[in-house]
Amino acid sequence: MPGPGGCGTITPERRPRANPVTDSSRYRPQVIEERWQQHWQSQGLARTPEPGPSAASHSVGTGEPYYALSMFPYPSGSLHMGHVRNYVITDVIARVQRLRGRAVLHPMGWDAFGLPAENAAIERGVDPGAWTDQNIGQMREQLKRLGLSIDWDREVATCHADYYRWTQWLFLQFLDAGLAYRSEATVNWDPIDQTVLANEQVDGAGRSWRSGSLVEKRKLRQWFLKITAYADQLLDDLPKLQGWPERVRTMQANWIGRSTGAELQFEVVDGDGAGTGQHIAVFTTRPDTIYGVSYVVLAPEHPLVEALTASEQQLSVQAFIDLVGRQSDQERTAEDSPKRGMPIGASARNPANGELVPLWIADYVLAEYGTGAVMGVPAHDQRDFVFARQYELPVRQVIIPEGSDEHAYEGGAWTAGGVLIHSGPFDGLTCAEARQQIIAAGEAGGWGQGRVQYRLRDWLISRQRYWGCPIPVIHCDSCGVVPVPEEQLPVELPQGVELAAKGGSPLAQLESWVAVACPCCGQSARRETDTMDTFICSSWYYLRYSDPHNTALPFSREAVDRWLPVDQYVGGIEHAILHLLYSRFFTKVLRDRGLLGFDEPFARLLTQGMVQGITYKNPHSGRYIAPADVADPSDPRDPISGEVLDTFYEKMSKSKYNGVDPAGVIDRYGADTARMFILFKAPPEKDLEWDDADVEGQYRFLQRLWRLVDSAQERGLRLAPSGASPSGNAEAPLTEGDQELRRAVHTAIAAISEDLDGDYQFNTAVSELMKLSNAMGSQLEAASEAVAVEALTVLLVLLAPFAPHLAEELWQRLGANPDDDNSVHRQRWPEADASALRRDTVTVVIQIKGKVRGQLEVPADADAATLEALALASEVAAKWLEGQPPRRVIVVPGKLVNLVP
RNA sequence: GGGGGCAUGGCGGAAGUGGUAGACGCAGCGCACUUAAAAUGCGCAGACGGCGACGUUGUGGGGGUUCAAGUCCCCCUGCCCCCA
């Protein structure tokens, strides 16, 4: 591949300048990029401006704060293309905002706790902390090669004690607020990783998101955060997030899953039909269908099941419970899976009409949701309908569509609205009316009440793992759960723990660490040995960046309110639910604690698409083939069998051999090419197909820019110190060529400014840069010096956010002095000059009945009547109207004239 | 099953509030430079017809609204995502 080698042995300075085809006119990113990265670092170009008079000396960066944030990475040790895309997007945003005069915070850090470090420790006997720090070091160096304008002075790592000290401090805030509690719970137990998982970490097939093993159910005493207490706020504030993608808001709303309905009490009856005093509470969103109940179903885990099961049913019920226990929630409730259940030999009384209905247990009812019991209304719920058909339970219709007869809908459940029948005093009411009145009747009769139910569960945060943030509490036999006093924070992770042991928390095995005096009574007590879910650590890191060196608090109120909410957050769609919901929850809790003064942490969210690599697969063997082993990409064949391969793009991964290493791309083309390619190839939120040929094309574009500036330099053009606008005047009007070039320049300013405002469209912004470059390529040579210099100045400033190294190099080559800090990155974003965009004549289209038939060059200020007259007089009109006057004429000034015969 | 999104040349993708479809780039073709190639520069390029100026057709398929539809409405097909 003819990549840029950088193999010349003669330094540019020693070459004679006369020959245009010299090494000095070759773009060699390998030489310039590292130099500028070091220079910028020494100049503090990415440093976050602090408020106050000291910063006022410089014109740039003293404006309103702007916070540009990428989702911080897990430090795996190697950067992949998904990271590159994420951080380049955020970097462009940060750089544009600086050029626009904003004071920019653009930080980076590490989501550094988690299982990979612990697994590496077990497999290789290394210290998880040392392993993680080494990875951080590697990744930081890789990131720096991208030329990101990150303020590294604000770097945080969640696994460092100076960070997790405050994670613990914040946990104690939750504890103090009554939002952290311990509870015995059925938990998802991962038998491979030997830990519990949050519901969110179990996939649709009931497998661990990390180990992939089937998750088991276990009862354990666990720590929870009471996110359900904020369910309403988290849902109701979603409409505030207009800068978020609609689908992310929808996903969060679905996840919270608020449903309004009623909790109704069914009294258990004995064999003679007499009440036993025991009640089964069911939750339903359809209290209006209560007269259609034909049975009540309990979750197999429901606490009353054992007591209520008739003795002759004991064996089969127990067998059924065991069977269900092996299924995941998803399997149990999937609509297409068979519903299974059995009667337990007891009955309950319908509180509305006094009827006795049988009690069942079934797999599709979950103990965790609602009350763990539902009323079965086969006529008006599809799952109940399927269940009833299967077990020959009665189906009674109590809702009919308005105006229809009652037998019209027997084929399946009628789940839409209608009018009540067979419902005693409620007959004739609409569903909505009946819901209210039946709830009212229930409240009056003591057998029901309105209730709001959420799909959202409390957040299980306990992990039986070493490499996480220790939960800062102490268990004392006499005082109970005692928070570790603030001044004793951080509770540091101890060294030398045996990590390979299975079956519980590694910390529990280190007696010297566990045994501690109770802070309350001084008696011997024991530390909590669970660590926190790493999602806790990532739920507040964006706050810490505002004040990363604070040793008295996680952040000061002043700093956090100055920088937040984050103006633009950028990251993967995979965090649409968990991380973003948890962060919103944290923000609201901390607001209620008075620690910060805003409701939502992220004003705008950009979810960038995946980076996909070209993937070859043998359709018969199912084997993936590395692109390097495919001899002819236009006819991809298996290198061994010669079979034709399937070709497609898929997310880059090792097992598919379709990954592209960012370091290799930077080595070959430089960071600027990689940045430009990624931004240009696809809109930011869409998946991006990595294509070496397109990368090559992007490199050629940067080379063209290099040559363009090189020849301008040969001509002796230098950047003007003042930057006065060469707009011409009456005595010395601009030539037509100058006007045309200026129009191209200011069109680019307007278009790119538009593309970078709010909704970011980097792909079209880059294409506008290309257009400007094309225009300059043909017109710069003939342009006057003033206009040419303006064009060059604008081109380089517009280029600066995208290809920062090249823009800076060319800026300096055109005469700016790097030593007096005249960086292209400290310039002002240009303003489009409306007078440059003005033109004397414009082309309008002549349509005949909506079809384009010709064009007309007209004065730009021609009014509708003039345009109509010109169009009617045109040859096009003569040809198509055949002498008849048009029935109708539509004129869109500056655009078209439509003649309708 | 529910909710959301998408569908435009050989390919990636452009097209404020309906107003010249295909910007920009990749791949391709032609020309110039070169002994030649690479690189570079210039040009062509939706499809069909025509030597041509042009004409017809064209944004997944079908219908509709409109002077005018990629864009708005209805139906259908396919793909993707989320929730069940």
Side-chain angles (χ1 to χ4, degrees):
Chain A
M1 193 170 286
C7 51
T9 51
I10 301 171
T11 57
E13 292 74 22
R14 299 228 303 268
R15 275 317 264 273
R17 304 234 51 178
N19 182 354
V21 191
T22 63
D23 269 4
S24 78
S25 61
R26 281 192 54 200
Y27 168 47
R28 288 187 296 172
Q30 296 79 5
V31 179
I32 63 172
E33 291 189 349
E34 199 186 335
R35 193 174 75 230
W36 285 117
Q37 284 161 19
Q38 286 172 3
H39 183 75
W40 295 331
Q41 190 167 356
S42 71
Q43 297 289 310
L45 213 75
R47 200 178 297 134
T48 310
E50 287 298 339
S54 61
S57 60
H58 206 283
S59 62
V60 172
T62 56
E64 285 292 297
Y66 188 97
Y67 189 174
L69 180 66
S70 302
M71 289 183 186
F72 67 166
Y74 178 81
S76 63
S78 58
L79 201 66
H80 58 68
M81 280 300 175
H83 293 129
V84 174
R85 191 176 193 194
N86 194 164
Y87 310 141
V88 166
I89 287 171
T90 312
D91 188 55
V92 173
I93 292 168
R95 288 177 179 278
V96 168
Q97 293 301 335
R98 280 195 203 96
L99 291 170
R100 287 186 167 158
R102 303 289 289 270
V104 170
L105 169 58
H106 180 209
M108 182 57 71
W110 311 98
D111 187 14
F113 274 133
L115 284 175
E118 196 157 339
N119 291 337
I122 292 167
E123 284 158 25
R124 283 172 255 167
V126 295
D127 174 61
W131 184 86
T132 302
D133 283 341
Q134 193 194 331
N135 284 350
I136 288 174
Q138 279 179 30
M139 281 181 85
R140 192 193 298 112
E141 289 317 303
Q142 291 169 19
L143 279 180
K144 286 186 172 176
R145 292 192 64 201
L146 287 167
L148 304 173
S149 60
I150 286 167
D151 183 358
W152 287 104
D153 188 47
R154 294 187 179 232
E155 179 180 356
V156 302
T158 57
C159 68
H160 291 165
D162 60 358
Y163 181 90
Y164 72 70
R165 167 186 184 177
W166 299 113
T167 307
Q168 293 171 342
W169 189 91
L170 290 168
F171 174 86
L172 296 179
Q173 293 282 312
F174 278 75
L175 191 62
D176 186 56
L179 294 168
Y181 66 93
R182 281 213 311 167
S183 175
E184 187 99 340
T186 305
V187 299
N188 303 304
W189 177 260
D190 181 336
I192 301 238
D193 282 341
Q194 294 275 309
T195 189
V196 279
L197 299 168
N199 288 337
E200 294 87 330
Q201 293 165 344
V202 181
D203 68 15
R207 292 177 181 277
S208 162
W209 72 315
R210 189 169 285 287
S211 75
S213 70
L214 272 175
V215 166
E216 298 167 6
K217 299 288 178 194
R218 284 204 183 176
K219 288 239 178 209
L220 283 177
R221 208 157 163 75
Q222 302 284 302
W223 282 98
F224 289 85
L225 293 191
K226 207 183 274 180
I227 191 171
T228 53
Y230 282 76
D232 279 325
Q233 278 189 53
L234 290 167
L235 184 65
D236 294 340
D237 284 351
L238 284 173
K240 289 184 186 173
L241 301 173
Q242 288 304 308
W244 285 35
E246 167 83 34
R247 63 191 194 119
V248 174
R249 282 183 280 147
T250 306
M251 281 160 68
Q252 292 221 345
N254 289 339
W255 189 260
I256 294 165
R258 178 164 67 193
S259 51
T260 43
E263 192 172 308
L264 308 174
Q265 305 291 334
F266 282 66
E267 186 179 19
V268 180
V269 298
D270 62 22
D272 303 324
T276 64
Q278 286 174 302
H279 287 82
I280 291 167
V282 304
F283 176 77
T284 178
T285 58
R286 297 294 304 276
D288 49 315
T289 63
I290 191 167
Y291 283 77
V293 173
S294 33
Y295 56 98
V296 166
V297 194
L298 304 177
E301 304 87 348
H302 194 285
L304 285 178
V305 167
E306 198 182 337
L308 296 180
T309 301
S311 52
E312 64 272 21
Q313 299 283 78
Q314 294 283 3
L315 274 179
S316 50
V317 164
Q318 192 53 51
F320 182 78
I321 291 171
D322 291 345
L323 178 73
V324 172
R326 289 196 289 273
Q327 284 184 287
S328 71
D329 289 359
Q330 279 81 1
E331 283 175 302
R332 284 170 56 173
T333 55
E335 212 145 305
D336 47 6
S337 75
K339 314 284 174 275
R340 289 178 299 189
M342 62 172 48
I344 62 170
S347 299
R349 189 182 307 283
N350 184 330
N353 60 10
E355 273 182 34
L356 294 190
V357 292
L359 290 176
W360 285 61
I361 55 173
D363 57 359
Y364 72 93
V365 178
L366 304 177
E368 308 293 323
Y369 185 77
T371 58
V374 301
M375 59 187 207
V377 186
H380 303 294
D381 180 280
Q382 190 57 34
R383 283 201 294 215
D384 294 345
F385 183 83
V386 172
F387 191 77
R389 276 287 154 91
Q390 190 170 343
Y391 294 103
E392 296 178 344
L393 291 156
V395 178
R396 185 198 294 160
Q397 190 173 354
V398 293
I399 310 276
I400 51 170
E402 214 156 351
S404 95
D405 73 76
E406 76 179 84
H407 299 293
Y409 288 92
E410 283 192 329
W414 173 254
T415 55
V419 177
L420 271 69
I421 56 168
H422 302 319
S423 296
F426 305 102
D427 279 355
L429 297 178
T430 65
C431 287
E433 292 163 346
R435 259 171 237 167
Q436 288 180 7
Q437 294 199 17
I438 289 173
I439 289 172
E443 282 169 356
W447 50 264
Q449 57 184 358
R451 202 179 134 180
V452 179
Q453 182 65 41
Y454 301 91
R455 212 189 71 93
L456 182 70
R457 314 280 81 207
D458 272 343
W459 179 8
L460 169 55
I461 61 160
S462 283
R463 296 294 179 273
Q464 288 68 49
R465 277 284 162 179
Y466 170 76
W467 193 234
C469 177
I471 295 175
V473 300
I474 290 162
H475 300 282
C476 172
D477 285 341
S478 21
C479 309
V481 171
V482 181
V484 173
E486 244 180 72
E487 62 275 12
Q488 288 177 27
L489 296 181
V491 176
E492 288 203 49
L493 279 172
Q495 300 282 316
V497 175
E498 172 53 54
L499 297 174
K502 297 268 178 175
S505 172
L507 292 176
Q509 290 146 27
L510 201 69
E511 188 57 31
S512 61
W513 184 82
V514 173
V516 67
C518 171
C520 263
C521 66
Q523 307 259 311
S524 63
R526 304 182 65 77
R527 284 192 191 280
E528 171 65 56
T529 59
D530 284 351
T531 52
M532 294 182 213
D533 182 1
T534 57
F535 274 105
I536 301 257
C537 309
S538 58
S539 292
W540 74 280
Y541 76 104
Y542 49 91
L543 303 170
R544 180 68 177 173
Y545 285 140
S546 72
D547 195 9
H549 306 300
N550 196 327
T551 53
L553 284 169
F555 45 83
S556 74
R557 173 81 191 246
E558 187 200 0
V560 80
D561 284 353
R562 168 172 152 82
W563 288 109
L564 282 100
V566 172
D567 291 276
Q568 182 68 59
Y569 198 25
V570 183
I573 187 75
E574 67 272 19
H575 293 111
I577 297 175
L578 302 188
H579 163 61
L580 292 169
L581 190 67
Y582 293 152
S583 296
R584 296 180 59 222
F585 169 48
F586 258 62
T587 298
K588 290 175 189 303
V589 170
L590 300 184
R591 174 207 58 198
D592 289 347
R593 301 286 293 178
L595 292 166
L596 46 80
F598 44 92
D599 294 332
E600 289 287 342
F602 312 120
R604 297 188 59 88
L605 173 69
L606 192 162
T607 51
Q608 100 267 4
M610 290 185 303
V611 182
Q612 301 179 317
I614 193 159
T615 312
Y616 297 104
K617 190 178 185 179
N618 185 318
H620 301 110
S621 68
R623 273 185 49 217
Y624 288 94
I625 310 294
D629 294 336
V630 175
D632 177 10
S634 62
D635 179 29
R637 288 177 177 277
D638 191 304
I640 297 159
S641 67
E643 291 165 290
V644 175
L645 300 173
D646 284 345
T647 306
F648 49 95
Y649 284 89
E650 227 174 343
K651 182 172 183 175
M652 291 183 176
S653 80
K654 267 186 192 149
S655 59
K656 291 170 186 157
Y657 310 109
N658 61 354
V660 177
D661 180 19
V665 176
I666 295 172
D667 287 343
R668 174 171 242 134
Y669 300 103
D672 284 339
T673 294
R675 294 169 61 111
M676 294 285 286
F677 164 77
I678 277 181
L679 295 164
F680 177 63
K681 175 73 179 177
E685 64 284 346
K686 280 193 72 168
D687 288 347
L688 181 154
E689 297 173 358
W690 189 272
D691 180 342
D692 289 334
D694 283 337
V695 177
E696 215 38 82
Q698 204 56 237
Y699 183 66
R700 284 201 297 264
F701 171 58
L702 295 185
Q703 285 177 306
R704 275 199 295 277
L705 291 176
W706 181 275
R707 284 194 297 270
L708 184 71
V709 172
D710 195 63
S711 58
Q713 198 186 343
E714 294 288 339
R715 181 181 156 191
L717 294 177
R718 292 294 178 269
L719 295 177
S722 70
S725 182
S727 46
N729 54 47
E731 290 126 60
L734 293 179
T735 65
E736 212 163 288
D738 275 355
Q739 283 184 37
E740 214 175 309
L741 179 54
R742 284 205 83 219
R743 191 174 301 123
V745 168
H746 288 270
T747 301
I749 295 173
I752 294 173
S753 300
E754 165 82 21
D755 285 341
L756 299 179
D757 189 35
D759 283 326
Y760 292 98
Q761 295 177 270
F762 307 106
N763 54 330
T764 50
V766 173
S767 83
E768 292 295 332
L769 283 172
M770 291 171 169
K771 286 186 206 172
L772 176 56
S773 153
N774 290 343
M776 287 170 69
S778 57
Q779 292 167 336
L780 198 68
E781 219 165 312
S784 70
E785 184 168 333
V787 171
V789 166
E790 184 197 27
L792 288 163
T793 307
V794 167
L795 174 72
L796 293 182
V797 175
L798 294 179
L799 178 69
F802 301 91
H805 313 87
L806 177 63
E808 185 80 299
E809 176 73 17
L810 297 179
W811 186 258
Q812 306 305 337
R813 282 175 169 248
L814 280 176
N817 184 352
D819 297 329
D820 69 2
D821 201 23
N822 184 12
S823 166
V824 69
H825 301 295
R826 296 221 195 249
Q827 304 307 307
R828 278 283 176 183
W829 190 257
E831 296 275 347
D833 177 357
S835 72
L837 298 175
R838 206 171 297 136
R839 44 203 322 160
D840 296 335
T841 64
V842 292
T843 305
V844 297
V845 165
I846 302 177
Q847 295 181 338
I848 307 296
K849 200 175 181 299
K851 279 196 190 301
V852 178
R853 294 301 184 189
Q855 298 185 339
L856 210 52
E857 193 73 8
V858 300
D861 54 359
D863 60 14
T866 313
L867 284 173
E868 180 173 343
L870 286 168
L872 285 171
S874 68
E875 285 174 34
V876 178
K879 177 178 173 189
W880 288 89
L881 293 179
E882 294 164 344
Q884 301 295 311
R887 271 193 305 123
R888 209 175 148 184
V889 179
I890 290 112
V891 180
V892 183
K895 291 256 182 205
L896 57 83
V897 181
N898 189 5
L899 305 174
V900 185

